[in-house]
Amino acid sequence: MPPETASQTAPPTTPAAFGTVFCDWMTVARYRGGQWSGPAVEAVAPLALHPGAHVLHYGSSCFEGLKAFRMPDGQVRLFRADRHAERLRRSAELLCLPLPPVEVVEGMIREAVAANRDDTPHPPGALYLRPTLIGTEANIGAAGAPPAEALLYILASPVGDYFSGGGRPLTVLIEEHGMRSTPGFGQAKTGGNYASAMRHVVAARREHGADQVLFCPGGDVQETGASNFLLIDDRRVLTKPLDGSFLHGVTRDSILTLAADLGYEVVERDFSVDELLAWTAFGEAALSGTAAVLTGVGELIRDGRRHSVGDGSIGPNTRRLRQALTDIQAGAAEDRFGWLS
Ligand SMILES: *Cc1c(COP(=O)(O)O)cnc(C)c1O
């Protein structure tokens, strides 16, 4: 069992499994009586929650995941914190949760970084920040009402390279019947969507040895349980256009921006499972997300049949785009889009 909290006196060189080590300090704000109080820096410790808390019964929770990086000059800087703060607000809106202004959320993220600065590993590691918003009102009668009390906290966790060196290519099961989420709610970063996807992911692992499930309801290629999905070749990047069915990834947006800058044609349009399988004969496929960055898919499984993507290894264009992003994040390339702050 991982300890509930652990601290490092020096930046760790080989952090534990992603998400299992927590820094000592979090920032916290509380909502009650129509007002937010705080924020304050508090020691990471078990939360006191009433057993009737809204979140425990009616799933009133949403979260974010972003990273702060240690620069060559020792500064620690956040990657696209504004986007993550805005997205937390969007998720909160969809869940009818109260949320402090975007400046307050961003300020709390910055304070969490400052409080845990010394625990920030060197690249390719990072300080992973996990803003979390939950409904805390003790009221099991409030099934159809938003919680009148809420808690926002920002946890910090030192993380390594999720898949070191870009990792091994993933095996992904194509799921055309089950859905990860529902139309409209798919863009909320909420535990409910993970809970909804879970049984499909568990079955894919157990029955097919798959790493992830690509949700393609009715043949429409959307995303996996926790990552966006992109098709890549020597001159194009193809992905689904933003709609309410899937999570609008900051990594997705960053990769598309970098791809266009590197001369790739960026195509955002819907595509089918048949088109996806045709693409695998010549192109590459990858998953994008803050934790995974950009990870190649080596194999797809549809109706029990295995289809190799290219030669089954991580393709050169996937590596190139991943490197372009990680170079900016590590401060090794110029931050031309103003993403670090
Ligand atoms: C967080 C998440 C992503 C990736 O978003 P990033 O902003 O790139 O980290 C993709 N899909 C789902 C379902 C997610 O929860």
Side-chain angles (χ1 to χ4, degrees):
M1 280 270 289
E4 276 191 84
T5 63
S7 65
Q8 288 77 27
T9 47
T13 47
T14 49
F18 188 93
T20 60
V21 176
F22 297 98
C23 297
D24 289 343
W25 303 102
M26 59 181 177
T27 45
V28 179
R30 292 182 171 80
Y31 181 83
R32 171 176 284 184
Q35 288 195 336
W36 284 95
S37 64
V41 177
E42 295 183 9
V44 171
L47 296 174
L49 273 187
H50 191 283
H54 199 274
V55 61
L56 301 177
H57 301 265
Y58 306 123
S60 51
S61 77
C62 58
F63 67 95
E64 267 306 317
L66 70 161
K67 283 175 173 172
F69 295 89
R70 189 175 282 277
M71 299 290 116
D73 66 3
Q75 274 192 67
V76 175
R77 298 177 77 185
L78 281 160
F79 185 74
R80 306 195 77 177
D82 52 343
R83 285 295 191 106
H84 288 277
E86 281 162 22
R87 193 171 66 189
L88 184 66
R89 280 185 73 88
R90 180 72 192 124
S91 297
E93 256 168 39
L94 287 162
L95 284 142
C96 304
L97 275 160
L99 192 74
V102 74
E103 319 80 72
V104 174
V105 179
E106 248 195 273
M108 286 175 67
I109 294 171
R110 281 183 206 292
E111 265 197 84
V113 172
N116 299 295
R117 202 183 170 287
D118 293 346
D119 284 348
T120 307
H122 291 279
L127 192 66
Y128 181 82
L129 286 309
R130 173 53 66 93
T132 309
L133 176 65
I134 58 173
T136 50
E137 184 190 2
N139 182 356
I140 57 172
E149 294 170 13
L151 178 71
L152 171 64
Y153 57 91
I154 321 284
L155 271 175
S157 168
V159 298
D161 199 357
Y162 195 62
F163 298 114
S164 49
R168 66 178 174 84
L170 301 178
T171 295
V172 172
L173 179 84
I174 293 171
E175 172 61 63
E176 287 170 270
H177 306 293
M179 286 175 82
R180 184 188 70 90
S181 180
T182 55
F185 207 58
Q187 59 180 305
K189 203 167 179 75
T190 178
N193 284 338
Y194 281 76
S196 162
M198 183 82 74
R199 68 192 188 285
H200 299 295
V201 179
V202 168
R205 197 175 298 137
R206 190 183 55 224
E207 290 162 24
H208 300 279
D211 299 297
Q212 302 283 337
V213 174
L214 179 62
F215 290 91
C216 311
D220 175 40
V221 178
Q222 294 182 339
E223 65 169 331
T224 67
S227 305
N228 294 132
F229 184 76
L230 299 95
L231 295 178
I232 305 169
D233 71 8
D234 289 345
R235 51 185 191 87
R236 288 172 297 176
V237 178
L238 170 61
T239 195
K240 188 174 173 62
L242 298 180
D243 67 22
S245 69
F246 73 101
L247 204 285
H248 302 175
V250 176
T251 314
R252 171 192 178 280
D253 183 79
S254 306
I255 291 289
L256 295 186
T257 301
L258 289 169
D261 187 59
L262 289 168
Y264 290 86
E265 181 191 354
V266 172
V267 184
E268 293 181 73
R269 65 166 169 82
D270 291 323
F271 57 97
S272 66
V273 171
D274 289 334
E275 189 175 355
L276 158 63
L277 292 179
W279 185 282
T280 60
F282 60 87
E284 306 169 23
L287 307 184
S288 75
T290 293
V293 191
L294 189 66
T295 299
V297 175
E299 189 180 50
L300 291 159
I301 307 172
R302 183 198 208 183
D303 295 334
R305 268 196 62 196
R306 293 178 178 257
H307 303 259
S308 168
V309 180
D311 65 3
S313 66
I314 296 179
N317 296 288
T318 300
R319 288 183 192 282
R320 182 180 179 208
L321 290 167
R322 178 190 168 94
Q323 188 73 39
L325 179 57
T326 55
D327 280 351
I328 290 178
Q329 292 177 328
E334 193 193 337
D335 177 25
R336 294 179 32 239
F337 304 98
W339 287 338
L340 297 168
S341 62

